[in-house]
Amino acid sequence: MSVPFLAFTPVFLIPSGFVMLGELPPPLKLLGVVLIVTGSLAMHRRLFAIGWLAPVKAVIQEKGSRYMLMVSFIFSITNPLDKKLVVMSDVYTEAHSYGLGLCIAFFVWGKLQRADFRAAARNNVKWISLAGLLDAVSLLFQLLSYAYIAVVITVSIKRAGIILSVLAGWLFFREKEITDKVIAASVMFCGVLILYVPLTAAEAFGLTGLTLAGMALALFLTRHQGVEHAR
């Protein structure tokens, strides 16, 4: 449930990218914003049984959702800053500074929390190393992409993995009741596609219509499950 809310980052990036970088996607891309917001509400569709505004309130009031929206907003500020720093220096300098700053910040925070680093690393060195390596590679590719496309497009592509994240939560962490999350993440994914893929007006409206129709059908077919959850 957490990761799909990162799809809001491109939504927040539209105004911040314009203010900080002068980058502004075409008005047609707002259809993507509509789908992302719709997906976030579909994730709480069982609450429609309580009232039409209940899902909106859940997005705002649920602590986890609220935290992830804060993360999305912060990313909408730091991503344009990353591009500015890449332009002022270079990809590798910014990547090194970013990684070093992250390590120092969390080391200090961990010490303040009296974290046991040795216990955390015990028998996990290879996984920690792999995670660090993959994170470094993904950061380099992200920073390199800034030379070719707008930040909002880069982040939109990055957020295209939200469906895989939902499935990974089910596969690796045995998270249950993912039906609504998969439906919502799929709608958000289509919204991200509209933000990224160069589409004509007819294609964008067609994809939006098909996505909404598919969502409505999926919600209808799983309505009994939603009713049981609401009870």
Side-chain angles (χ1 to χ4, degrees), residues 6 22 45 52-53 66 83 90-91 98 111 114-115 122 131 135 156 158-160 184 190-191 228:
L6 289 178
R45 64 90 174 256
W52 284 103
L53 292 178
R66 188 166 66 247
K83 181 166 184 175
D90 60 77
V91 170
Y98 181 98
K111 283 297 185 182
R114 298 182 179 179
R122 192 176 297 122
D135 202 37
S156 295
K158 188 177 180 180
R159 297 294 169 242
C190 290
E228 290 300 322

Side-chain angles (χ1 to χ4, degrees), residues 39 42 45 178-188 214-215 218-219 222:
R45 64 90 174 256
I178 68 164
T179 304
D180 287 355
K181 300 181 185 68
V182 171
I183 295 171
S186 300
V187 175
M188 289 174 150
M215 181 192 72
L219 293 178
T222 59

Side-chain angles (χ1 to χ4, degrees), residues 211-230:
T211 300
L212 293 176
M215 181 192 72
L217 178 61
L219 293 178
F220 175 77
L221 293 175
T222 59
R223 65 191 184 282
H224 295 300
Q225 184 181 29
V227 171
E228 290 300 322
H229 290 334

Side-chain angles (χ1 to χ4, degrees), residues 154-203:
T154 293
V155 176
S156 295
I157 300 172
K158 188 177 180 180
R159 297 294 169 242
I162 54 180
I163 300 176
L164 294 178
S165 298
V166 171
L167 294 176
W170 168 74
L171 182 63
F172 295 110
F173 297 104
R174 300 293 186 267
E175 294 180 347
K176 299 178 180 179
E177 301 175 358
I178 68 164
T179 304
D180 287 355
K181 300 181 185 68
V182 171
I183 295 171
S186 300
V187 175
M188 289 174 150
F189 173 74
C190 290
V192 168
L193 281 181
I194 290 178
L195 285 173
Y196 164 60
V197 179
L199 300 173
T200 64
E203 290 170 338

Side-chain angles (χ1 to χ4, degrees), residues 131-142:
L133 177 63
L134 293 176
D135 202 37
V137 172
S138 68
L139 176 63
L140 281 174
F141 280 132
Q142 179 177 338

Side-chain angles (χ1 to χ4, degrees), residues 8 17 19 28 47 52 73 80 97 115 129 135 155 175 180 184 199 208-209 216 229:
F8 274 88
V19 172
L28 193 63
L47 297 179
W52 284 103
F73 178 74
S97 301
S129 300
D135 202 37
V155 176
E175 294 180 347
D180 287 355
L199 300 173
T208 302
H229 290 334

